[in-house]
Amino acid sequence: MPGSSQQKLKFYLQFLPALLGGIAIVIGTAANLHCQTVSISQLDDDGKIYSGVFHFTTKNFDEVYKRQAWCPTDCESYNNFKDDTGFDFDVNAFWRTTKAFAVIGPIVGGIALFGAVIVPCFQSAFSGRKKWMWFATVLGLAFAGVCQGLTLLILKSSVCENNPILEYLEDGKPDLRTTFADEPECQWEAGLRMGIAATVFWCLAAIYGILRPANTKFPPRPVQTQTITYKRNADGTVTKTSVDIQYHHDRDPLKK
């Protein structure tokens, strides 16, 4: 039928914000939980301190250090580090902000994703009384992107400006601390790049949600009807004179 392929495409494209948001929430959550978001390297050796929003790890340090709390080879939480060492490190406002939005973003994004899947199934979701449902969904997608973007403030947080591990080394192992720069710079790692990608996907989902076409029902398969005309002859026989075949939709496509 003419136009049915185009209608199907429009129907499926309604769920593109949900697809983009789904990618964003997976990548973003992984980025927020990643322990290799940024790194600080030693001056002359290969040792690195990897830091994330909630976790950290180390790499290429001498075996003598690897059994100590400050030098885990797997992801370790800062809270465990604090409990194991008894060292009270600084947490500035940027780090608190990063932590807060790393939690808020996926929650808001998850609710918005639910709306991005459900709302297109309502015929009147984009007009009249239900228009606010889609607008709320788009706002949720945009806000999730803002939250994910704010997690990039980790570059201004204590993780980079006054790294807890370096603080601990300066207090208890000054010789090892001197192997790092006095004012070390954070290098981008996989977690930060994932966070940027997630922010972009959230924004794309919100932008497409604003520019998306009007709600289009999925066209059902056409129903075939036949009208057959018969003529009774003078001798009593019956002859088929015409057959009229028509295709039409006789039901609401959103109902089974």
Side-chain angles (χ1 to χ4, degrees), residues 67-176:
R67 293 185 180 87
Q68 301 183 43
W70 72 271
C71 191
T73 54
D74 297 320
C75 290
E76 185 72 30
S77 75
Y78 292 104
N79 289 335
N80 287 345
F81 169 73
K82 184 176 181 179
D83 293 340
D84 291 341
T85 62
F87 183 74
D88 191 13
F89 49 83
D90 177 55
V91 179
N92 66 8
F94 288 112
W95 198 1
R96 292 191 182 94
T97 301
T98 301
K99 287 182 174 182
F101 284 106
V103 175
I104 295 172
I107 294 175
V108 174
I111 296 172
L113 279 181
F114 180 77
V117 173
I118 296 300
V119 173
C121 295
F122 291 91
Q123 180 181 358
S124 58
F126 310 104
S127 61
R129 292 176 299 173
K130 291 186 178 179
K131 183 182 288 188
W132 66 268
M133 296 173 64
W134 184 248
F135 287 152
T137 296
V138 172
L139 286 176
L141 294 171
F143 184 69
V146 171
C147 291
Q148 186 64 54
L150 287 173
T151 64
L152 303 180
L153 287 174
I154 192 172
L155 293 169
K156 291 291 185 180
S157 73
S158 300
V159 168
C160 286
E161 300 293 330
N162 194 16
N163 188 273
I165 312 305
L166 294 183
E167 237 188 312
Y168 173 74
L169 295 180
E170 187 171 354
D171 185 64
K173 301 180 186 297
D175 291 343
L176 187 57

Side-chain angles (χ1 to χ4, degrees), residues 193-229:
R193 294 184 178 92
M194 290 165 65
I196 293 172
T199 303
V200 171
F201 275 110
W202 280 124
C203 292
L204 289 176
I207 291 170
Y208 186 82
I210 295 172
L211 302 177
R212 64 181 308 283
N215 183 49
T216 305
K217 292 181 178 181
F218 186 84
R221 291 185 178 183
V223 177
Q224 177 182 309
T225 59
Q226 294 184 358
T227 303
I228 302 175
T229 304

